[in-house]
Amino acid sequence: AAAVQVLTPRARCARAGGKGCQPVSAARAAAMFARFDANSDGRVDFDEFARAWCEPVVPALAETETMYKDIETIWAELTTRPGLEVPPVKLLKSKWLSERARKIRAAGSAEERRKLALPRRQDLERTEPEAFYTYEEVKALKRGSENAGQPMRVIAISHCWETAEHPDPEGASARARGARFELAPSAN
């Protein structure tokens, strides 16, 4: 059996510079190690780590059944809270993403693609605030059938960073996702 080191809360806080100080139980750490150790050799090499780190983790069924059922919880995520400068969640307009992806595809060089690559959310909010829906625009979006609880069509995208400096330095991820949005005629 592989040895799993579980850092004390104090040690984790010290390593994280005081941020994200949530201790991990020995059972949780062992389960995470088992998921990462794909060939069960008791070690996790870089390829195993990268594969496990980037694979989607499916939330527990109980979480999916209760998350975001009350519309007020969704609206709360889209508004600025005391102590925060921006809302926890901002919705990027798919039309904006499709247009950016088109520009990246049309770029003639890697340098042009790098200039058009999607920046971090914080930078994009500052430089191109029109890329995001406002709270009022989200509330005005077309909703689904009342019989179905009036769902809102939202797509969440998350992916590993390609480099330590930038999540998508040449816009490859943006190009792929933008092309998919272009295929959806009702995308906003």
Side-chain angles (χ1 to χ4, degrees), residues 104-171:
I104 294 170
R105 281 194 307 275
S109 68
E111 181 59 31
E112 288 179 51
R113 285 189 293 279
R114 277 192 287 281
K115 287 179 182 176
L116 290 165
L118 291 180
R120 298 176 320 133
R121 171 191 161 182
Q122 300 89 328
D123 297 333
L124 187 59
E125 285 177 308
R126 187 175 28 76
T127 60
E128 298 190 54
E130 71 281 357
F132 296 95
Y133 284 107
T134 65
Y135 174 82
E136 293 77 17
E137 288 172 325
V138 173
K139 286 196 97 163
L141 285 173
K142 182 180 176 187
R143 306 276 302 280
S145 162
E146 196 164 320
N147 292 337
Q150 292 189 309
M152 188 181 326
R153 288 181 48 173
V154 175
I155 298 171
I157 299 172
S158 180
H159 62 89
C160 292
W161 282 40
E162 286 187 33
T163 68
E165 297 78 31
H166 196 283
D168 190 20
E170 292 191 23

Side-chain angles (χ1 to χ4, degrees), residues 7 34 45 81-82 90 92 117 119 123 126-127 150 172 176 180:
L7 297 175
D45 65 26
R81 297 180 187 158
K90 294 282 287 216
L92 186 63
D123 297 333
R126 187 175 28 76
T127 60
Q150 292 189 309
R180 289 186 186 111

Side-chain angles (χ1 to χ4, degrees), residues 22-184:
Q22 299 275 330
V24 175
S25 70
R28 175 80 174 120
M32 289 168 51
F33 184 86
R35 185 170 69 88
F36 280 53
D37 186 18
N39 63 6
S40 301
D41 67 354
R43 298 179 313 177
V44 176
D45 65 26
F46 181 78
D47 290 335
E48 287 174 310
F49 175 81
R51 194 170 26 259
W53 190 258
C54 293
E55 74 183 17
V57 177
V58 179
L61 183 59
E63 290 177 355
T64 59
E65 289 178 355
T66 59
M67 289 170 52
Y68 302 115
K69 290 292 184 180
D70 177 11
I71 192 68
E72 295 307 315
T73 64
I74 296 171
W75 300 142
E77 293 299 308
L78 297 170
T79 57
T80 304
R81 297 180 187 158
L84 296 178
E85 293 180 25
V86 296
V89 174
K90 294 282 287 216
L91 299 181
L92 186 63
K93 296 176 181 177
S94 58
K95 285 183 180 179
W96 184 92
L97 182 58
S98 295
E99 179 59 23
R100 178 59 69 100
R102 187 194 61 71
K103 289 177 182 176
I104 294 170
R105 281 194 307 275
S109 68
E111 181 59 31
E112 288 179 51
R113 285 189 293 279
R114 277 192 287 281
K115 287 179 182 176
L116 290 165
L118 291 180
R120 298 176 320 133
R121 171 191 161 182
Q122 300 89 328
D123 297 333
L124 187 59
E125 285 177 308
R126 187 175 28 76
T127 60
E128 298 190 54
E130 71 281 357
F132 296 95
Y133 284 107
T134 65
Y135 174 82
E136 293 77 17
E137 288 172 325
V138 173
K139 286 196 97 163
L141 285 173
K142 182 180 176 187
R143 306 276 302 280
S145 162
E146 196 164 320
N147 292 337
Q150 292 189 309
M152 188 181 326
R153 288 181 48 173
V154 175
I155 298 171
I157 299 172
S158 180
H159 62 89
C160 292
W161 282 40
E162 286 187 33
T163 68
E165 297 78 31
H166 196 283
D168 190 20
E170 292 191 23
S173 182
R175 286 193 311 267
R177 284 170 175 80
R180 289 186 186 111
F181 285 126
E182 289 171 0
L183 298 175

